[in-house]
Amino acid sequence: MSDVSLLRKAQQACSDLHLLYVEDDRTLAEATAKTLSSFFKSITMAHDGKEGLETYQAGIFDIVLTDILMPHMDGKEMSRRIREINPEQSIIVMSAHEESSYLMELIEIGIYKFIQKPPNLDRLAECILSTATNINNAKMVAKLANETKQNLAESQELLRNIIDTVPVRIFWKDKDSKYLGCNKLFANDAGLHGQDELIGKTDFDLVWKDQAQGYVNDDKAVMTSGQEKISYEEMQTQANGNMIWLTTSKTPLLNQNSEIIGVLGTYVDITKQKETMAEIQKAKDDLGYQAEHDILTGLPNRTLYFDRLHQAIKKAPRSDTKVGVIFIDLDRFKEINDTLGHDIGDKVIQLLGERLCNSLRKVDTIARFGGDEFILLIEHIKDMKNITEILEKLMKSMETPIKVQEHSLYLTLSAGVSIYPDDGQSAEILIRNADTAMYRAKDDGRNTYHFYTKEMTMESFSHMVMSKNIRQALDNREFVVYYQPQIDGKTRKLLGMEALVRWISPTEGFISPADFIPVAEECGLIDKLGQYVFEEAASQIVQWYNKGLNPGHVSVNLSPIELQQENFIQLLQDKMQALNCDPSWLELEITEGYTMKNPEVAIQMLQGIKDLGIKLSMDDFGTGYSSLAYLKKLPIDKLKIDQAFVRELPENMHDIAIVESIISMAKSMKFSVIAEGVETLTQHDFLIEKGCHNIQGYFYAKPMPSNEMEEFIQTFDNK
Ligand code: C2E
Ligand code: CA
Ligand code: CA
């Protein structure tokens, strides 16, 4: 009786297996095959070793069951060959041999399973079961292994996806900085089609070869130190040629034994952030720039200048050099603004800025302080000659006219200099003192420069106080007009008088117009003061005429600045009308300087005055440089010989010559002529003898208040 459970087990175990059965005894073969057919999924038969081997090669068999003694090729040889093809192949030998030496040979080729021939079913089932169990176990293990492999492949795929999805570039390199792998984003940056293309390449092979050396150096540093390098910024050339900014981190790449086998890197493209940051920075810089620069000229402004001056003062003692502060003011800039307009004024300032810049060394600073004021900072002065040279250069740079539209403007500068440490220890004091010195240059007739001296401070202080006081004095009516007679020395008749303003201050006492007129001109109060004098003088003369007196004309001094008022002529007309003043009772005194500065404008303005019926007299004549030809063009009536030429008459030969030539010039041009500052009889008589009959001076009378003048008018002609 066969063991049923054993058979069932064997049938179960073999149900999926394929058998190759090799047996030359056909009867036995068929009988056995019949028995086994219920066990195996398939049974393939061969009838000798050669056929068995060929069949084996053509198919897939889980078990080979073979006889030993067969024609053409015996079972032993066939088994050996099969083993060569597949060392794992399960082979069961069915044989009548029992000799141990023979079995040993089979064992040597790895065959452990033997069945006695003819086979007993149980023994066959047992043998097949154990073989099948082994095969099935092996298959199970293989399947498991396969599944595990697949799982691994899946998890690798997942990792790959993650690596390719994170918005970070990832790459890893070996010890020679050769790429082992990267993610998609990285491959894109490198302009590669697939990640595999990268493998084996170095940075020198990629689009960013210009940066390769730096990258490789970083790799080396990370690998040799074993320390990661975290979040540092660097640049990278991309496939499209653009440069991008990266934040990179590199860390050593370790194997299972924690040995460094390469470097793992990641980076983020921060170009956008950088650009945004740069925009923010630029906005900040622009603000900073605007805070430190003058918009019109683009030059440093007051703030930046102070900053640089502070620095220069700090540095100077170390190099044992001096620092120069040069304060520059454009002469008569207001005139340009008023006559040509602010647009041209602005352009002039711009061009002036450029011109000043060009006559400086690169190391010097030029700043605009506003209006027409510029200030220079000259460092590293070893010799004061350096400063003088710069000043001369600046002054000379103004000899070429500044061209704006159709205008060629001849401009001049006044400059004041203060030196650190001689003239002050602080930036504030140095600038103030340079400013003071600049005012001195203005007082000296402009177009010049002055070095600061201690004495100036006192003067400028009173200058400052004075300008404040002039304002108050106008409000308080502290200005009084005095009158000085002008007499025909031959007929001893009163021709008229000159109006001369006086400042009688309740605190300071009498202040000379020679002191306060220039200040009033500087601080812009001369217009107001001039109008006041004109009104006083005109209403006074009207009053005297109305009283039936015969005062002649009143001659009022005009500052050149007053003449720059656009509506000046209109103002005169309005005032005369309001006061009911006959224009023939008036005369205006102008100076040569004014007419020479801008002849075209001057001639037009003077003609306007003359057209009102007011006479014009040229004051201080002889001190300027008017040419005869030029004088001819001016619509004036009278030349006034300056008292400087009268003072030393008749001793000074030079003065005699001048006075004589002025008189003959006036005669030839049909101007009348008057001499001022005549104090002595000799001077008086000399002038009359030379043909100048009109006399003004202490010889007849000093300037006097209106009440005294009224008496003078009433009595003089009657003497
Ligand atoms: P100026 O127009 O040349 O005036 C003549 C100056 O000589 C006056 O000085 C007068 O007082 C002085 N003087 C007159 N006769 C003699 C003399 O025989 N000997 C001497 N040594 N001096 C004599 P003052 O009044 O001090 O005026 C000085 C200057 O102030 C004037 O010079 C004029 O340029 C200016 N000034 C005076 N009043 C006015 C005014 O109302 N408006 C303007 N714009 N300037 C004025
Ligand atoms: Ca005068
Ligand atoms: Ca004069």
Side-chain angles (χ1 to χ4, degrees):
M1 250 317 272
S2 295
D3 181 340
V4 178
S5 76
L6 174 70
L7 290 182
R8 236 184 240 140
K9 274 189 198 160
Q11 276 172 335
Q12 238 170 4
C14 296
S15 63
D16 264 341
L17 303 182
H18 301 276
L19 177 74
L20 173 61
Y21 180 25
V22 190
E23 174 61 68
D24 63 332
D25 180 341
R26 289 193 184 244
T27 320
L28 175 69
E30 261 156 49
T32 310
K34 208 171 171 189
T35 314
L36 290 177
S37 64
S38 66
F39 287 72
F40 287 94
K41 191 161 194 181
S42 75
I43 299 174
T44 309
M45 309 271 279
H47 297 97
D48 58 53
K50 194 162 167 274
E51 192 193 342
L53 183 62
E54 283 162 7
T55 311
Y56 181 83
Q57 283 170 323
I60 293 169
F61 304 97
D62 298 296
I63 298 173
V64 177
L65 176 64
T66 184
D67 186 18
I68 293 293
L69 294 175
M70 290 181 294
H72 308 302
M73 183 188 288
D74 68 1
K76 197 177 73 187
E77 177 60 15
M78 185 196 71
S79 298
R80 204 182 51 77
R81 297 246 193 129
I82 287 176
R83 277 295 168 129
E84 272 175 12
I85 298 166
N86 179 6
E88 307 286 310
Q89 182 61 53
S90 299
I91 302 172
I92 302 170
V93 169
M94 194 159 31
S95 173
H97 282 277
E98 280 180 322
E99 290 148 33
S100 60
S101 67
Y102 186 76
L103 290 177
M104 281 309 292
E105 277 182 55
L106 288 172
I107 286 167
E108 269 169 29
I109 43 174
I111 297 168
Y112 300 92
K113 305 262 171 176
F114 310 98
I115 293 177
Q116 197 70 36
K117 226 175 164 180
N120 156 299
L121 187 59
D122 281 353
R123 177 76 192 98
L124 184 61
E126 199 179 50
C127 183
I128 287 171
L129 175 63
S130 87
T131 307
T133 307
N134 281 346
I135 291 170
N136 287 337
N137 283 348
K139 276 194 175 172
M140 186 82 84
V141 169
K143 197 179 156 209
L144 266 178
N146 206 23
E147 276 173 9
T148 320
K149 221 174 173 180
Q150 200 169 336
N151 283 344
L152 195 67
E154 273 169 17
S155 63
Q156 268 179 347
E157 180 68 26
L158 182 65
L159 193 62
R160 185 89 250 168
N161 275 341
I162 293 172
I163 287 178
D164 283 341
T165 321
V166 282
V168 177
R169 276 70 164 171
I170 304 173
F171 58 89
W172 49 104
K173 300 174 177 179
D174 69 9
K175 281 198 121 163
D176 300 322
S177 284
K178 278 195 183 129
Y179 280 94
L180 294 170
C182 69
N183 69 348
K184 259 195 196 133
L185 280 178
F186 182 92
N188 285 349
D189 283 354
L192 302 176
H193 298 298
Q195 285 134 282
D196 292 345
E197 260 184 72
L198 180 72
I199 296 169
K201 292 204 161 86
T202 68
D203 289 304
F204 293 97
D205 304 321
L206 298 174
V207 283
W208 49 73
K209 52 179 173 295
D210 290 347
Q211 294 101 49
Q213 194 57 57
Y215 295 168
V216 169
N217 292 346
D218 289 335
D219 296 344
K220 286 256 140 51
V222 167
M223 287 188 279
T224 41
S225 68
Q227 299 286 318
E228 53 192 8
K229 193 173 178 209
I230 296 289
S231 293
Y232 57 96
E233 286 184 7
E234 58 184 354
M235 295 197 81
Q236 184 193 72
T237 308
Q238 290 215 294
N240 60 9
N242 287 349
M243 292 290 274
I244 60 169
W245 276 100
L246 319 176
T247 302
T248 307
S249 296
K250 280 180 182 171
T251 143
L253 188 63
L254 306 177
N255 65 9
Q256 279 144 328
N257 302 327
S258 300
E259 293 156 346
I260 296 173
I261 55 159
V263 63
L264 171 70
T266 59
Y267 63 81
V268 192
D269 178 357
I270 54 157
T271 313
K272 272 258 144 37
Q273 281 131 277
K274 272 263 175 195
E275 280 167 5
T276 316
M277 288 298 288
E279 272 163 29
I280 293 170
Q281 191 56 46
K282 191 182 173 299
K284 275 192 192 161
D285 288 351
D286 283 353
L287 272 182
Y289 182 87
Q290 278 167 23
E292 291 192 324
H293 288 81
D294 166 55
I295 293 168
L296 182 62
T297 57
L299 294 174
N301 66 7
R302 194 179 283 264
T303 314
L304 187 54
Y305 184 85
F306 262 92
D307 198 50
R308 297 215 177 140
L309 181 54
H310 283 302
Q311 298 297 329
I313 290 173
K314 257 194 234 158
K315 280 188 292 180
R318 274 179 251 154
S319 56
D320 195 25
T321 55
K322 297 186 175 195
V323 177
V325 172
I326 304 181
F327 207 109
I328 293 177
D329 189 285
L330 188 56
D331 296 329
R332 303 179 202 282
F333 176 63
K334 196 174 171 292
E335 211 170 302
I336 294 169
N337 253 345
D338 291 350
T339 53
L340 302 176
H342 285 274
D343 286 348
I344 290 186
D346 281 355
K347 196 78 201 139
V348 167
I349 292 297
Q350 268 175 349
L351 294 171
L352 177 65
E354 281 169 27
R355 191 170 287 190
L356 294 178
C357 248
N358 291 338
S359 46
L360 288 177
R361 305 171 303 179
K362 282 269 174 299
V363 289
D364 301 325
T365 296
I366 167 165
R368 182 172 173 231
F369 261 32
D372 56 345
E373 289 175 352
F374 292 85
I375 186 155
L376 314 185
L377 172 62
I378 314 291
E379 288 187 71
H380 316 295
I381 304 171
K382 285 222 149 55
D383 187 334
M384 289 312 279
K385 250 182 24 205
N386 299 154
I387 282 275
T388 322
E389 277 162 14
I390 289 172
L391 286 162
E392 291 294 346
K393 211 168 151 196
L394 286 173
M395 293 294 164
K396 204 165 167 49
S397 79
M398 300 308 290
E399 282 174 9
T400 6
I402 286 188
K403 291 202 169 89
V404 186
Q405 294 171 9
E406 72 276 16
H407 308 282
S408 276
L409 304 167
Y410 284 89
L411 303 174
T412 55
L413 303 174
S414 296
V417 189
S418 71
I419 302 289
Y420 171 87
D422 313 0
D423 301 329
Q425 296 295 316
S426 74
E428 290 75 9
I429 291 177
L430 287 166
I431 292 171
R432 200 191 65 208
N433 289 348
D435 186 38
T436 303
M438 187 274 290
Y439 269 103
R440 172 53 63 93
K442 291 248 181 220
D443 288 348
D444 277 7
R446 304 179 165 92
N447 192 18
T448 186
Y449 58 84
H450 254 287
F451 282 83
Y452 171 79
T453 61
K454 295 248 168 349
E455 294 71 49
M456 286 180 191
T457 297
M458 279 312 297
E459 289 167 25
S460 94
F461 180 69
S462 52
H463 198 271
M464 224 168 59
V465 170
M466 195 185 275
S467 71
K468 184 167 157 257
N469 290 352
I470 291 174
R471 220 175 286 271
Q472 287 171 351
L474 272 164
D475 293 341
N476 299 344
R477 304 187 72 85
E478 289 171 23
F479 293 102
V480 182
V481 179
Y482 273 40
Y483 301 92
Q484 185 176 31
Q486 296 176 337
I487 311 279
D488 182 333
K490 228 173 168 183
T491 61
R492 300 278 165 147
K493 288 232 181 298
L494 176 67
L495 299 165
M497 62 200 79
E498 180 177 5
L500 292 159
V501 67
R502 298 286 174 263
W503 183 3
I504 299 155
S505 157
T507 51
E508 308 292 318
F510 180 89
I511 303 168
S512 163
D515 290 334
F516 68 79
I517 293 288
V519 180
E521 284 177 339
E522 280 301 335
C523 66
L525 287 169
I526 191 69
D527 292 352
K528 228 176 152 190
L529 182 62
Q531 278 167 42
Y532 171 79
V533 175
F534 181 84
E535 249 171 50
E536 279 290 304
S539 66
Q540 185 59 70
I541 208 86
V542 170
Q543 227 174 300
W544 283 328
Y545 275 109
N546 287 349
K547 276 190 180 171
L549 299 174
N550 194 12
H553 64 261
V554 65
S555 189
V556 178
N557 290 282
L558 272 188
S559 157
I561 293 173
E562 287 177 80
L563 282 159
Q564 289 163 24
Q565 298 173 87
E566 249 166 50
N567 56 349
F568 182 70
I569 291 171
Q570 190 61 49
L571 267 172
L572 288 183
Q573 198 169 15
D574 292 350
K575 290 231 159 77
M576 287 192 304
Q577 218 154 29
L579 297 168
N580 217 355
C581 178
D582 191 315
S584 68
W585 300 339
L586 297 174
E587 205 173 279
L588 291 175
E589 295 190 11
I590 54 153
T591 55
E592 246 180 309
Y594 163 73
T595 63
M596 294 214 27
K597 204 80 205 172
N598 199 338
E600 306 304 318
V601 179
I603 290 169
Q604 223 180 336
M605 176 64 91
L606 298 181
Q607 191 57 55
I609 296 171
K610 266 196 72 80
D611 291 346
L612 293 176
I614 299 173
K615 283 205 176 65
L616 285 170
S617 141
M618 178 76 91
D619 204 356
D620 302 342
F621 191 75
T623 54
Y625 305 93
S626 317
S627 71
L628 204 61
Y630 171 66
L631 209 56
K632 246 183 189 162
K633 291 191 194 162
L634 292 177
I636 48 169
D637 304 281
K638 195 186 277 184
L639 298 182
K640 201 165 182 186
I641 302 171
D642 193 70
Q643 53 181 294
F645 306 114
V646 175
R647 203 169 295 136
E648 291 173 27
L649 286 181
E651 294 84 27
N652 187 317
M653 299 305 286
H654 185 68
D655 289 348
I656 292 172
I658 290 175
V659 168
E660 279 179 343
S661 78
I662 293 174
I663 294 168
S664 68
M665 195 191 289
K667 277 226 170 89
S668 73
M669 292 171 119
K670 310 243 177 328
F671 295 144
S672 58
V673 62
I674 180 168
E676 68 180 344
V678 181
E679 294 184 0
T680 63
L681 181 64
T682 347
Q683 289 166 345
H684 178 269
D685 290 349
F686 176 86
L687 284 159
I688 289 176
E689 192 203 315
K690 295 292 174 193
C692 175
H693 303 174
N694 301 344
I695 304 290
Q696 176 185 346
Y698 295 172
F699 175 72
Y700 285 115
K702 287 193 172 176
M704 55 192 114
S706 57
N707 58 338
E708 285 177 33
M709 188 62 198
E710 194 170 312
E711 272 177 44
F712 188 90
I713 299 165
Q714 283 166 333
T715 56
F716 184 77
D717 284 351
N718 307 329
K719 268 204 242 160

